[in-house]
Amino acid sequence: MSEPERLSRRNAIRQENEQRILAAAEKVFAEAGFGGATMQLIADMAGLPKANLHYYFPTKEALYRAVVQTIFDIWLHAADSFDKAPGPVEGIGAYIDAKMEISRRHADGSKVWASEVMHGAPVIQDYLETTLRDWTAGRAALIQRWIDEGKMAPVDPRHLLYMLWATTQHYADFGHQIETLNGGKALSDKQWKAATESVKAVILRGIGAG
Amino acid sequence: MSEPERLSRRNAIRQENEQRILAAAEKVFAEAGFGGATMQLIADMAGLPKANLHYYFPTKEALYRAVVQTIFDIWLHAADSFDKAPGPVEGIGAYIDAKMEISRRHADGSKVWASEVMHGAPVIQDYLETTLRDWTAGRAALIQRWIDEGKMAPVDPRHLLYMLWATTQHYADFGHQIETLNGGKALSDKQWKAATESVKAVILRGIGAG
DNA sequence: TCGCTTCCTGACCGTATGGTCAGGTTTGAC
DNA sequence: GTCAAACCTGACCATACGGTCAGGAAGCGA
């Protein structure tokens, strides 16, 4: 994607600082939402003066956009395994695995994305209408092919995709609720695995491919 | 719950205004989040001067809390049909119906709820730890009984509940995304029905009760 | 009609926010 | 070593926000 940057001190500084800011911003936006987040808080969390944030990202919205962009890329990437699969068990199974992993490892990013979409996608509407629309059409076609080949039950591919997104993202977006219902403790490794297996079991059996 | 209010002009005014404010607040909180919402905007949408909002609801947080309370009650109420059912097909089927209807009719409230939980439930943590925890334990026990009676496959009841919440709420919380992927048009009656049937088909077959 | 309560609201206030900027320091190509 | 470009930041600004309040209008029991 980006050509290998010359490894100068300057580039190192730039990369380091942008990374720190993005990480802090992701956390703050996830916790407070766009409106509730403040540049000052992000700056404090990144350990930089506020004015420095504006040096790298001209506006709050530009910073926010960069955060959303990051998680969107990760999100799309999760479908790689989906495509190469010979059938629904491998494809959808691997997709659930990947998306559950994202919910665990990038919970903040997932929340930012969810928040953005929930509020009408004010800054990423164009992505929804182009990249996501194409992506969805492609995967829906693949699922339809599996149905036509008798590899799974005839389920509306789009609603199936929504179910996959919903069930996996829920563990990130509603993680706090799940944690509360888990006695106030975050899910353990074992519990994450059990969650993933539960989702896979119900979905795969549900589409007649278990 | 509340004793029948005397039908005076005053009470009518109070009820009317509180209702207008709550309706406007629900919409604004859903669209902008707590931090992004402003009392001025809510006031404008309710057609009242801002100071009047503070007459009925002392602070922004009090107003917000009232909005969340409302949707939480609706949400809990949706499980009524669940309980009286003889088995998973009727119980879970009816629950999905009810929750999908809520996603459609109370999309704004659902978003406010989702937003609240996503941000760590700052104002309704107590509900999660008491009412919701009890509610969940009760339903999980019921599902476990169905499993023990051989009426459905052995699926972790809690993860099944999460799947039910996730799949149904998704149509409210991510309604904008779904709409965009639907060619920019809101789902029609027929499409809502198809969505509900898809969810029910996959879940019920997925728990071996279809 | 009187008098008390509830309802209403324009004007105001302190504060916090996103953003700016002038002036400084560091880096690195030459 | 020179110097321009990149980096850094304390101090500052205009604005918008949540909330207050004094004083008036409307409702209503007696």
Side-chain angles (χ1 to χ4, degrees):
Chain A
M1 195 133 289
S2 57
E3 47 193 298
E5 299 275 342
R6 284 201 60 256
L7 192 59
S8 65
R9 177 105 184 79
R10 281 214 184 129
N11 282 337
I13 287 174
R14 170 152 230 128
Q15 204 169 327
E16 154 91 13
N17 282 347
E18 283 182 349
Q19 218 47 53
R20 287 168 75 128
I21 294 169
L22 283 172
E26 182 176 285
K27 195 164 195 173
V28 174
F29 282 133
E31 283 171 4
F34 180 80
T38 70
M39 294 298 270
Q40 187 61 62
L41 194 58
I42 295 171
D44 292 348
M45 191 154 293
L48 295 170
K50 182 170 71 107
N52 208 350
L53 261 64
H54 283 99
Y55 174 72
Y56 286 102
F57 299 91
T59 64
K60 185 183 179 185
E61 188 176 315
L63 174 54
Y64 175 73
R65 189 184 278 266
V67 170
V68 173
Q69 177 85 265
T70 303
I71 189 66
F72 186 59
D73 289 344
I74 292 174
W75 204 81
L76 277 185
H77 208 64
D80 289 353
S81 46
F82 200 124
D83 294 325
K84 307 174 210 129
V89 177
E90 302 85 353
I92 291 174
Y95 188 56
I96 291 172
D97 282 337
K99 289 273 298 162
M100 285 296 281
E101 191 67 13
I102 290 174
S103 283
R104 186 173 192 189
R105 304 294 173 198
H106 301 277
D108 285 334
S110 291
K111 288 177 187 173
V112 175
W113 173 263
S115 207
E116 166 67 9
V117 172
M118 253 176 37
H119 298 150
V123 316
I124 46 92
Q125 182 62 23
D126 49 334
Y127 283 103
L128 296 189
E129 289 175 359
T130 55
T131 316
L132 184 63
R133 191 174 281 184
D134 295 344
W135 186 97
T136 306
R139 297 318 170 290
L142 178 56
I143 291 171
Q144 188 58 53
R145 204 176 319 137
W146 286 337
I147 292 172
D148 293 342
E149 292 169 0
K151 291 177 175 169
M152 55 178 277
V155 179
D156 185 311
R158 282 171 188 276
H159 291 303
L160 176 56
L161 282 172
Y162 299 157
M163 287 187 74
L164 294 173
W165 295 345
T167 48
T168 54
Q169 275 224 223
H170 188 79
Y171 284 88
D173 302 342
F174 286 74
H176 177 80
Q177 182 171 280
I178 290 174
E179 192 173 315
T180 298
L181 294 176
N182 190 43
K185 285 192 280 285
L187 296 190
S188 65
D189 281 10
K190 195 170 286 186
Q191 287 177 311
W192 269 98
K193 187 160 186 190
T196 306
E197 293 309 317
S198 288
V199 170
K200 271 162 56 173
V202 173
I203 297 270
L204 291 179
R205 199 188 300 128
I207 60 172
Chain B
M1 192 132 293
S2 58
E3 46 192 301
E5 299 275 343
R6 282 199 62 256
L7 192 57
S8 64
R9 177 104 183 81
R10 280 210 185 134
N11 283 336
I13 287 175
R14 170 153 230 126
Q15 205 170 327
E16 154 89 14
N17 282 346
E18 282 182 351
Q19 218 47 52
R20 286 169 75 127
I21 294 169
L22 283 172
E26 182 175 285
K27 194 164 197 173
V28 173
F29 282 133
E31 281 171 5
F34 179 80
T38 70
M39 293 299 271
Q40 187 62 63
L41 194 58
I42 295 171
D44 291 348
M45 190 153 294
L48 296 169
K50 182 170 71 108
N52 208 350
L53 261 66
H54 283 97
Y55 174 72
Y56 286 103
F57 299 92
T59 65
K60 185 184 179 185
E61 190 178 313
L63 174 54
Y64 176 72
R65 189 182 278 266
V67 170
V68 173
Q69 177 86 262
T70 303
I71 188 66
F72 186 59
D73 290 344
I74 292 173
W75 203 82
L76 278 185
H77 208 64
D80 290 354
S81 45
F82 201 123
D83 294 325
K84 306 175 211 127
V89 178
E90 300 86 353
I92 292 174
Y95 188 54
I96 292 173
D97 282 337
K99 289 273 299 161
M100 286 295 281
E101 190 66 13
I102 290 174
S103 283
R104 187 174 192 190
R105 303 295 172 198
H106 302 277
D108 285 334
S110 291
K111 288 178 187 172
V112 175
W113 173 262
S115 205
E116 165 68 9
V117 172
M118 254 175 38
H119 298 149
V123 316
I124 46 93
Q125 181 64 23
D126 50 333
Y127 283 104
L128 296 188
E129 289 176 0
T130 55
T131 316
L132 184 63
R133 190 173 283 184
D134 295 345
W135 186 97
T136 306
R139 298 317 170 288
L142 178 57
I143 291 171
Q144 188 58 52
R145 204 176 318 138
W146 286 337
I147 293 172
D148 294 341
E149 292 169 359
K151 290 177 176 168
M152 55 176 278
V155 179
D156 185 311
R158 283 173 186 276
H159 292 304
L160 176 55
L161 283 173
Y162 299 158
M163 288 188 73
L164 294 174
W165 295 344
T167 48
T168 53
Q169 276 224 223
H170 188 79
Y171 284 88
D173 302 342
F174 287 74
H176 177 80
Q177 181 171 280
I178 289 173
E179 191 173 314
T180 297
L181 294 176
N182 190 42
K185 285 191 280 286
L187 297 191
S188 64
D189 281 9
K190 196 171 282 186
Q191 286 177 312
W192 269 99
K193 187 160 186 189
T196 306
E197 292 309 317
S198 287
V199 170
K200 269 161 63 172
V202 173
I203 299 267
L204 291 179
R205 198 188 300 129
I207 60 172

